[in-house]
Amino acid sequence: MMTFDTIERARGRWHEILPLFGIETRFLVKRHGPCPLCRGRDRFRFDDKDGSGSYYCNQCGPGSGILLIRKLRGWDHKTACDEVDKIIGNGLPPAPPKCKPNSAASRTAAIQRLLNEARHPDVVAAYLRRRGLGVISHVLQGHWRCPYYDEDGKFLGTFPAVIAPILGPDGSLQSVQRIYCAELDPRKKILPPVDTIVGGAVRLFEPTDELGIAEGVETALAAHQMFGIPVWAALSENGLKTRQQTGNRENVGQSRPNRPPKDREECADAATSSAQ
Ligand SMILES: [Zn+2]
């Protein structure tokens, strides 16, 4: 009875569950690729039939999500179910929000709630490791079960995600970027900002006499790793331009005048793409 419940509750959530047992999302695709069990190079396929986590390997044979965990960890069925329960809990999936956030107060509350829930630094560490990054920023938070809604507001499930707070030029919390650690499109989403994220940034490191500005969080971390200077992520090309313009004209808020980061960005882009 208990084990049956686990399987039912885990249905449709294997993209969230399996990476937490060390099966990276690159294995969880519907085309032939490497097998996480026997390490064969091109014999594994994750088809996730009816959300069961089903797979097929020409060497290991067919199975479901729970069997994949059992084989990987050498667990019996009950142990595997108990471990899955620790992740997904035994409650129901979170209810989708009843209405779109429509006031600054409700948007602030939604942003704050997500940050409060993000208490799993191991999600951040695993994510950075996968991206080949050896640096960490304490502003990044890990969320184990971050809800994902598609463009039509349909709830697709909860997934591990890195939560990056976005501060406005005056240092006020404006939004958060959610970087989902799963095969989702788009994989990065920004919550509706309190006011605006124009000129905003993820302030990954305390500025010194130097401050680099990059577009994305990964690029900023790669640049920090490469050059050893504090780097912020302005999140969009638009934000980047806005920041550079305002940065050149005046000292905006707590930020300091920036050196033109062009060369650093390009190097960092190259570093990130080669790390992928
Ligand atoms: Zn195999």
Side-chain angles (χ1 to χ4, degrees), residues 187-248:
R187 201 169 58 80
K188 300 176 184 178
K189 280 173 167 275
I190 293 176
L191 274 186
V194 179
D195 300 310
T196 174
I197 55 163
V198 173
V202 180
R203 300 184 179 188
L204 294 159
F205 304 97
E206 280 293 317
T208 56
D209 55 334
E210 277 191 298
L211 178 64
I213 305 284
E215 188 177 328
V217 167
E218 291 108 329
T219 313
L221 290 169
H224 174 71
Q225 180 168 315
M226 187 171 280
F227 302 110
I229 61 162
V231 183
W232 291 358
L235 297 185
S236 69
E237 220 172 300
N238 203 21
L240 204 60
K241 283 183 191 131
T242 315
R243 267 216 89 77
Q244 281 169 352
Q245 280 156 13
T246 53
N248 288 341

Side-chain angles (χ1 to χ4, degrees), residues 160-209:
V162 173
I163 310 292
I166 303 168
L167 306 191
D170 64 352
S172 63
L173 181 63
Q174 286 296 330
S175 185
V176 287
Q177 184 180 43
R178 292 155 293 171
I179 305 170
Y180 287 92
C181 311
E183 299 286 328
L184 295 162
D185 187 25
R187 201 169 58 80
K188 300 176 184 178
K189 280 173 167 275
I190 293 176
L191 274 186
V194 179
D195 300 310
T196 174
I197 55 163
V198 173
V202 180
R203 300 184 179 188
L204 294 159
F205 304 97
E206 280 293 317
T208 56
D209 55 334

Side-chain angles (χ1 to χ4, degrees), residues 35 37-38 43 57 59-60:
C35 174
L37 296 173
C38 66
R43 48 173 83 134
C57 171
Q59 169 118 341
C60 310

